[in-house]
Amino acid sequence: MRHLVTTPTPKNPHDRRPRPAVPAAPPAPGTPRGQGNERGTIAGDFVEEALRCAERRGVARAALLEQAGINPATLAAPLARASSPASSPARSPARSRVSAAQYGRLWSAVADALDDEFFGQDSHPMRRGSFTLLSHAALGSRDAGEALTRIAGFLRLVLDDLRCEIDTDTNRVRIRLVDTASETRSPRPMFAYATAFIMIYGLLCWLVGRRIPVLAAHLRCPEPAASDEYRLMFCDAMFFDQPASYVDLAPDCVTLPVVQTAATLKVFLREAPANFIVKYRNPDSLAARIRRKLRQSPPVDWPDSADIAAALNMAEATLRRRLKQEGATYQSIRDALRRDLAIARLADTTQTIAEIAHALGFAEPSAFHRAFRKWTGVRPAAYRGMRANA
């Protein structure tokens, strides 16, 4: 597979107050030119998980990080592993972030080194080229329902310890991830379930040309340290230590027609997984159009939902409905973009924290501090110091 966030900011009652124009920040470091507008960032936790898969099979991390263009010092920085204060609610540790393109290159490097696109997480390796064959097999489907059946059948042939089963009713489409060795044995790590889901979901969304809403996710494994990041990858309604592992999708997704062709498959495989690792992103979707429009102006000038709908020549209710079909909201798009701009400014500029907060549309620096700590687990100044030390 040549391939394999968003967080809320506080509502700002002064968003409409006129402020001086501020130039938009550049794409996050490491993002290839021309891709910054449509790529999010990945927590360092997932980099570590992928590296551990390789190290368990005797592959050193240094060469893999070099191929991915990831600075190992960033991952080794002490703050990247610092725990939250004991007095605060449970949350993921502070973490560095990499671009989706960097993580995609790491994903491919690990798969190449192991000749296993499932990273040694099954007793039967998923040999290189398996995802390409899976994509060709699913491409001939009539609709998403048939594609899911083909995907599940293909994975049954290449994996021994994890089986994908599809169960559909009027309320949801359930993708079961069954530990076939024994339902009573210890559950596998969250990263294994996530790897399977990313492949299935990313391919399915690409086939129908839109992001399919994820309704809920139940996992047998304990809650991982990076559970907030996994919720961005799956959905908010995510539950751990469950008796079975499954993900529920919107019920009407099975009727969506497959819209891709052999020609578009070549592009998809060339850009995967960076094109769907931060959930699936269709460059022609409404969410992508909104991101591009927001990038054209500084965050202090971003319009509200009514104004962006008018700019796109549609009713506000239509905008909400179409974004919901793509698994997004206008606020989540703004939040994700503001988060990535904050990280880029802290890493690549000498602006003060107050100047960055103002440039990103926060009424007060304290609101920016709260939002950034929710995004990364640390204060903005601490994150900047971590990057400088790295």
Side-chain angles (χ1 to χ4, degrees), residues 137-151 203-204 207-208 212 252-260:
L139 184 62
S141 304
R142 176 184 62 258
D143 53 33
E146 184 179 349
L148 270 175
T149 300
R150 293 190 182 191
I151 291 171
L203 177 57
L204 185 67
L207 287 167
V208 299
I212 297 170
D252 55 353
C253 75
V254 291
T255 62
L256 296 174
V258 170
V259 298
Q260 304 297 345

Side-chain angles (χ1 to χ4, degrees), residues 128-328:
R128 277 307 249 151
S130 296
F131 186 78
T132 297
L133 291 176
L134 171 59
S135 302
H136 279 282
L139 184 62
S141 304
R142 176 184 62 258
D143 53 33
E146 184 179 349
L148 270 175
T149 300
R150 293 190 182 191
I151 291 171
F154 185 93
L155 292 178
R156 183 178 62 82
L157 297 176
V158 298
L159 298 178
D160 285 345
D161 304 334
L162 190 69
R163 184 173 68 245
C164 172
E165 298 177 348
I166 310 301
D167 178 18
T168 303
D169 65 23
T170 56
N171 297 315
R172 82 293 183 274
V173 175
R174 178 162 294 175
I175 301 174
R176 299 183 187 273
L177 300 173
V178 182
D179 297 308
T180 57
S182 171
E183 274 298 316
T184 59
R185 75 172 189 176
S186 299
R188 60 188 61 236
M190 179 64 216
F191 190 67
Y193 296 121
T195 303
F197 173 73
I198 288 169
M199 287 193 290
I200 297 166
Y201 181 76
L203 177 57
L204 185 67
C205 289
W206 172 78
L207 287 167
V208 299
R210 67 167 68 178
R211 183 188 295 177
I212 297 170
V214 180
L215 305 181
H218 290 237
L219 288 311
R220 294 184 65 219
C221 58
E223 183 169 358
S227 59
D228 55 341
E229 295 289 332
Y230 280 112
R231 284 187 170 89
L232 297 175
M233 184 181 293
F234 286 74
C235 62
D236 288 335
M238 195 169 190
F239 308 96
F240 300 94
D241 292 308
Q242 300 296 300
S245 297
Y246 57 84
V247 182
D248 288 344
L249 306 182
D252 55 353
C253 75
V254 291
T255 62
L256 296 174
V258 170
V259 298
Q260 304 297 345
T261 66
T264 58
L265 176 60
K266 293 180 180 179
V267 179
F268 171 73
L269 292 174
R270 184 169 63 244
E271 297 182 353
N275 51 359
F276 61 80
I277 189 68
V278 187
K279 285 196 172 180
Y280 170 74
R281 284 184 176 172
N282 176 2
D284 299 319
S285 68
L286 176 60
R289 290 169 59 195
I290 290 174
R291 280 192 293 271
R292 288 193 290 267
K293 187 167 282 292
L294 292 179
R295 283 273 187 175
Q296 294 170 6
S297 59
V300 292
D301 295 333
W302 284 351
D304 60 20
S305 59
D307 290 338
I308 193 71
L312 294 170
N313 299 312
M314 66 178 67
E316 186 178 5
T318 302
L319 179 135
R320 287 197 300 268
R321 175 177 54 79
R322 289 184 54 185
L323 285 178
K324 183 177 180 180
Q325 291 173 343
E326 296 178 7

